[in-house]
């Protein structure tokens, strides 16, 4: 690594610090020569305070065991029927791979823990077929995983799920990685595979696809794709539609592929990305009632200034709402001050039953993006009670009221709330 590489990594650290990356490693990658280098890359991620969760597959090891023991497998993927013998070999393969990963992490002084965080039920009988010991994910024990991450322990999760009666089931590892990433609201889900990524019809690597383009690509080309890579594309699409910002599919056999994918603009694999602003739109007159309902509690808690329907109607061009399932669950206002190249973030509110899902942060990032695109150099806000949230989650800093535009400073002094003034410089 040369100096320019290090500088490139440092540029990304503020963006990724304390974020969760779920890294799904195919069994074939654990078995390949480059796995020891991947462990070193994981050490780099941990050294810059990125929270890492590892999910591993076992198809490669399962096939090897079946050859060694001369046993016929009913399924290798965790999707089809898992008979008793395949189940027993799956447990053996999963234990071996988990142990190999824990052993490798120890060589880089990384603390890790094998988990039973996947709560599963039997897949059941579908279309007249009994899937026997194949499972389906009921939920992820998020609090358990988050506890380990808080203690700087890497959770290692195999493709085995557990029910409340002490029974276990074989599950597809791509699905496990997707569910874990969604449940943790991970910043990234990264699949390390024995494939270069998603290839187009001419066999060339596709560098990136937004989720809608990925859907169209899947409809057109899925029948021509190898099953393992098709599975990852399908789970990437689902993850992006359910709150994961970025999913990367790359060749884990390539040295430094993981770091190159994360810490460079071009990357080395395929990135599927969600349009995190697709649920945010400009407010309409018919939304005023929903906005008033949304901000009622924050107004009563003295978190934001009181507003009437006429106030919102007057400023409607500056209001934006976050929709989920055709329901308004968040709002924000962005007021422009062109003379000073500043914009004000105001009236941020998220419905109580949608808190802690990253919606507030998405609205803040939207305000930053909008303000930057409009040529503003600074975004500021006033806060009486939520200032720690904006500083910790949004990267805002405290400033003196003197930074406010004159007309906003006069309002600030008049209302007497003595709000903290926070600001953030924008790149644009």
């Amino acid at each position: 690594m040369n100096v320019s590489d290090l500088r490139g990594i440092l540029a990304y650290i503020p963006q990724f610090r304390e974020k969760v990356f779920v890294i799904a490693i195919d069994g074939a990658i654990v078995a390949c020569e480059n796995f020891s280098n991947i462990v070193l890359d994981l050490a780099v991620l941990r050294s810059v305070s990125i929270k890492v969760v590892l999910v591993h597959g076992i198809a490669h090891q399962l096939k090897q065991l079946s050859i060694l023991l001369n046993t016929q497998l009913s399924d290798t993927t965790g999707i089809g029927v898992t008979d008793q013998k395949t189940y027993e070999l799956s447990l053996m393969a999963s234990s071996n791979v988990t142990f190999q990963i824990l052993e490798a992490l120890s060589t880089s002084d990384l603390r890790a823990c094998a988990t039973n965080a996947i709560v599963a039920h039997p897949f059941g009988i579908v279309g007249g077929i009994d899937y026997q010991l194949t499972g389906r994910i009921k939920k992820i024990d998020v609090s358990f995983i988050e506890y380990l991450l808080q203690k700087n322990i890497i959770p290692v999760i195999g493709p085995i799920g557990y029910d409340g009666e002490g029974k276990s089931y074989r599950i597809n590892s791509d699905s496990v990685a997707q569910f874990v990433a969604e449940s943790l609201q991970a910043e990234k889900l990264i699949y390390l595979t024995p494939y270069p990524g998603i290839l187009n019809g001419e066999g060339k690597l596709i560098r990136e696809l937004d989720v809608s383009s990925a859907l169209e690509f899947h409809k057109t080309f899925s029948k021509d794709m190898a099953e393992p890579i098709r599975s990852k594309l399908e789970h990437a699409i689902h993850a992006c539609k359910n709150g994961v910002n970025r999913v990367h599919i790359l060749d884990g056999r390539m040295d430094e592929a993981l770091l190159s994918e994360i810490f460079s603009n071009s990357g080395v694999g395929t990135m599927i990305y969600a349009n995190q602003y697709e649920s945010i739109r400009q407010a309409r007159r018919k939304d005023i009632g929903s906005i008033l309902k949304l901000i009622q509690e924050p107004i009563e808690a003295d978190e934001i200034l009181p507003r009437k329907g006429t106030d919102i109607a007057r400023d409607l061009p500056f209001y934006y709402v976050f929709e989920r399932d055709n329901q308004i669950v968040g709002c924000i206002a962005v007021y422009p001050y062109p003379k000073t190249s500043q914009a004000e973030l105001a009236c941020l509110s998220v419905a109580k039953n949608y808190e802690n899902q990253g919606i507030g942060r998405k609205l803040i990032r939207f305000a930053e993006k909008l303000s930057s695109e409009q040529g503003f150099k600074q975004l500021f806000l006033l806060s009486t009670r939520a200032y720690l949230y904006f500083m910790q989650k949004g990267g805002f800093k405290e400033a003196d009221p003197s930074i406010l535009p004159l007309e906003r400073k006069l309002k600030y002094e008049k209302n007497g709330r003595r709000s903290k003034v926070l600001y953030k410089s924008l790149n644009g």
Side-chain angles (χ1 to χ4, degrees):
M1 179 179 292
N2 57 40
V3 172
S4 61
D5 292 332
L6 182 58
R7 286 172 178 163
I9 289 177
L10 290 173
Y12 285 88
I13 290 175
Q15 179 183 352
F16 294 146
R17 183 181 285 118
E18 299 301 322
K19 298 294 176 60
V20 176
F21 287 11
V22 176
I23 300 177
I25 309 177
D26 277 11
I29 299 304
V30 177
C32 80
E33 292 181 359
N34 192 50
F35 181 61
S36 59
N37 293 323
I38 291 173
V39 172
L40 294 176
D41 292 347
L42 296 176
V44 172
L45 299 186
R46 286 297 304 120
S47 72
V48 295
S49 299
I50 291 172
K51 298 178 180 179
V52 174
V53 179
L54 293 183
V55 176
H56 70 77
I58 59 171
H60 174 83
Q61 288 77 9
L62 199 51
K63 292 172 186 175
Q64 296 285 64
L65 278 174
S66 71
I67 294 170
L68 181 66
L69 300 175
N70 194 26
T71 302
Q72 189 72 29
L73 297 171
S74 61
D75 176 68
T76 61
T77 65
I79 297 172
V81 176
T82 303
D83 62 19
Q84 183 64 34
K85 194 63 182 177
T86 302
Y87 165 77
E88 292 172 1
L89 293 184
S90 296
L91 293 182
M92 188 184 303
S94 185
S95 296
N96 290 342
V97 174
T98 297
F99 176 79
Q100 187 177 348
I101 291 172
L102 292 174
E103 193 175 54
L105 293 174
S106 296
T107 64
S108 291
D109 199 29
L110 295 171
R111 303 280 72 81
C113 176
T115 75
N116 58 349
I118 309 301
V119 181
H121 282 176
F123 194 80
I125 301 170
V126 180
I129 300 173
D130 186 351
Y131 282 76
Q132 300 182 44
L133 293 164
T134 300
R136 57 184 173 87
I137 300 172
K138 181 185 178 185
K139 68 175 182 177
I140 308 297
D141 190 342
V142 172
S143 60
F144 178 28
I145 297 174
E146 288 182 339
Y147 173 81
L148 294 174
L149 293 174
Q150 289 168 6
K151 298 295 183 181
N152 294 318
I153 298 171
I154 298 176
V156 179
I157 305 173
I160 306 294
Y162 307 85
D163 67 11
E165 298 178 357
K167 296 179 180 178
S168 54
Y169 302 93
R170 167 80 162 107
I171 301 174
N172 175 262
S173 64
D174 293 343
S175 179
V176 172
Q178 175 210 323
F179 270 82
V180 170
E182 290 177 9
S183 299
L184 295 174
Q185 290 290 287
E187 181 72 17
K188 290 182 182 290
L189 167 57
I190 302 170
Y191 287 108
L192 296 178
T193 78
Y195 298 86
I198 306 296
L199 305 181
N200 65 15
E202 299 176 352
K204 295 181 179 179
L205 179 66
I206 300 174
R207 293 292 183 181
E208 60 181 52
L209 290 166
D210 63 41
V211 70
S212 58
S213 299
L215 271 169
E216 288 301 316
F217 183 87
H218 180 269
K219 289 177 184 177
T220 306
F221 296 104
S222 63
K223 62 181 182 299
D224 301 320
M225 300 172 69
E227 190 281 328
I229 205 72
R230 181 174 63 247
S231 170
K232 286 166 178 60
L233 175 60
E234 290 168 354
H235 287 94
I237 291 169
H238 281 290
C240 285
K241 292 172 71 176
N242 288 286
V244 180
N245 289 330
R246 303 285 187 268
V247 181
H248 303 259
I249 303 171
L250 57 145
D251 193 339
R253 301 166 300 180
M254 184 190 305
D255 187 22
E256 296 186 356
L258 184 59
L259 297 183
S260 297
E261 182 71 15
I262 294 171
F263 296 117
S264 69
N265 288 327
S266 57
V268 296
T270 300
M271 180 177 73
I272 314 295
Y273 63 95
N275 181 355
Q276 61 183 319
Y277 309 119
E278 64 186 354
S279 299
I280 302 174
R281 61 167 175 80
Q282 192 164 34
R284 303 167 188 147
R285 186 165 291 275
K286 67 177 183 178
D287 301 326
I288 293 176
S290 297
I291 294 172
L292 286 171
K293 184 177 179 181
L294 197 61
I295 65 176
Q296 181 179 353
E297 188 171 323
I299 288 173
E300 292 173 352
D302 197 33
E303 293 177 356
I304 61 177
L305 279 170
R307 288 167 171 82
K308 298 178 180 179
T310 52
D311 298 325
I312 296 172
R314 181 195 63 221
D315 295 337
L316 200 59
F318 308 126
Y319 275 81
Y320 299 85
V321 295
F322 189 106
E323 274 190 334
R324 181 167 287 176
D325 297 328
N326 297 315
Q327 181 182 359
I328 293 174
V329 299
C331 68
I332 198 169
V334 183
Y335 293 99
Y337 292 88
K339 291 181 180 179
T340 57
S341 292
Q342 293 171 289
E344 179 183 8
L345 185 158
C347 203
L348 173 64
S349 183
V350 176
K352 199 162 189 65
N353 55 336
Y354 284 87
E355 291 177 349
N356 301 314
Q357 296 185 25
I359 293 174
R361 278 175 285 179
K362 289 181 180 179
L363 285 165
I364 292 172
R365 287 197 292 266
F366 172 80
E368 293 172 11
K369 178 174 181 288
L370 178 69
S371 301
S372 181
E373 289 176 347
Q374 293 178 348
F376 297 113
K377 303 299 182 184
Q378 187 185 83
L379 185 66
F380 71 88
L381 62 92
L382 307 179
S383 177
T384 56
R385 305 190 68 182
Y387 49 88
L388 285 180
Y389 171 84
F390 289 105
M391 294 170 76
Q392 294 172 357
K393 302 296 185 181
F396 283 81
K397 298 178 181 178
E398 189 172 355
D400 187 86
S402 60
I403 74 159
L404 298 174
L406 179 58
E407 59 264 49
R408 189 64 184 90
K409 186 180 178 184
L410 293 173
K411 291 180 182 178
Y412 173 86
E413 293 172 347
K414 184 178 180 180
N415 65 40
R417 284 163 55 87
R418 300 178 65 188
S419 304
K420 286 187 180 292
V421 179
L422 306 180
Y423 78 99
K424 189 171 189 177
S425 298
L426 301 173
N427 298 320

